[in-house]
Amino acid sequence: MAGTVRALGFAGSLRAGSLNRALLRAAVELAPADLAIETFDIAGIPLYDGDVEAQGDPGSVAAFRAALRAADGVLMATPEYNHGVPGVMKNAVDWASRPPGDSALARRPVAIIGASPGITGTARAQSQLRQAFEFTDSPCMAQPELLVFRAHEKFDSEGRLTDEATRAHLAKFLAAFRDWILRTGAV
Ligand SMILES: Cc1cc2nc3c(=O)[nH]c(=O)nc-3n(C[C@H](O)[C@H](O)[C@H](O)COP(=O)(O)O)c2cc1C
């Protein structure tokens, strides 16, 4: 067994009360001892613009890319908007995907989780987000999945994940993600 595996986590919602930010906090709490998850707030990342990129990465983008490169794996908590990936999440992935073939995502193992109040628990958004990692050449963990449906019933008023079954499933998911990083990454 290697030493501690490092993952970078980010959520695709800007709301302070975001269920997905809360889910990411729960992931930090429930990760196995040998998986350290640092989080990155993507709120400062501007809309992708190739002209801006050509002049040099904005500070927030440079920091994001550096944090991704320092991580052994990437954990994303995505909401679902209109049966797809919210723009803020896709925009962060688009910046991270540059330049193609040599990006901070290339060959870096990734995993997706998500929470929504609906009954499908971000299934469509996760499926759509997964497609991006075919282009970035990032091994995306297929199983287990974590779809937190009726999520508003599973967190308390302070955003703590209180549903015991979801907590147990998240802990198993994170142990599998650690194994996935060790199996597919360059750790
Ligand atoms: C523009 C918009 C579209 C939405 N579309 C969906 C949807 O397709 N499926 C779904 O389960 N929830 C949908 N929702 C509800 C979100 O899942 C819910 O607002 C969720 O709390 C957002 O994630 P967050 O709490 O991390 O911000 C939508 C919400 C918004 C604002």
Side-chain angles (χ1 to χ4, degrees), residues 15-175:
R15 301 192 308 124
S18 159
L19 294 165
N20 286 279
R21 284 179 183 244
L23 181 60
L24 191 60
R25 288 196 300 274
V28 172
E29 179 197 341
L30 295 169
D34 54 356
L35 175 66
I37 304 175
E38 283 181 30
T39 59
F40 191 95
D41 188 345
I42 63 171
I45 295 181
L47 287 176
Y48 177 77
D49 180 335
D51 294 339
V52 171
E53 184 184 36
Q55 290 163 17
D57 287 341
S60 58
V61 172
F64 184 44
R65 285 183 173 157
L68 288 166
R69 286 193 190 279
D72 302 312
V74 185
L75 178 67
M76 280 155 279
T78 187
E80 179 171 292
Y81 283 0
N82 299 310
H83 290 181
V85 183
V88 292
M89 174 57 108
K90 184 60 165 50
N91 183 61
V93 170
D94 291 344
W95 272 111
S97 72
R98 306 283 299 162
D102 188 32
S103 75
L105 290 172
R107 292 167 294 285
R108 191 157 265 107
V110 302
I112 302 168
I113 55 179
S116 86
I119 56 166
T120 55
T122 72
R124 294 176 178 100
Q126 290 195 31
S127 179
Q128 195 180 82
L129 185 56
R130 205 170 274 280
Q131 291 173 36
F133 303 119
E134 295 168 8
F135 188 77
T136 62
D137 195 19
S138 316
C140 184
M141 188 169 81
Q143 293 292 338
E145 296 177 291
L146 187 86
L147 303 149
V148 184
F149 57 94
R150 298 196 64 83
H152 56 298
E153 297 173 355
K154 294 175 178 167
F155 294 83
D156 68 16
S157 58
E158 273 151 22
R160 182 173 183 278
L161 181 62
T162 50
D163 183 72
E164 285 305 327
T166 307
R167 289 177 70 83
H169 188 58
L170 178 55
K172 278 188 193 158
F173 180 99
L174 293 166

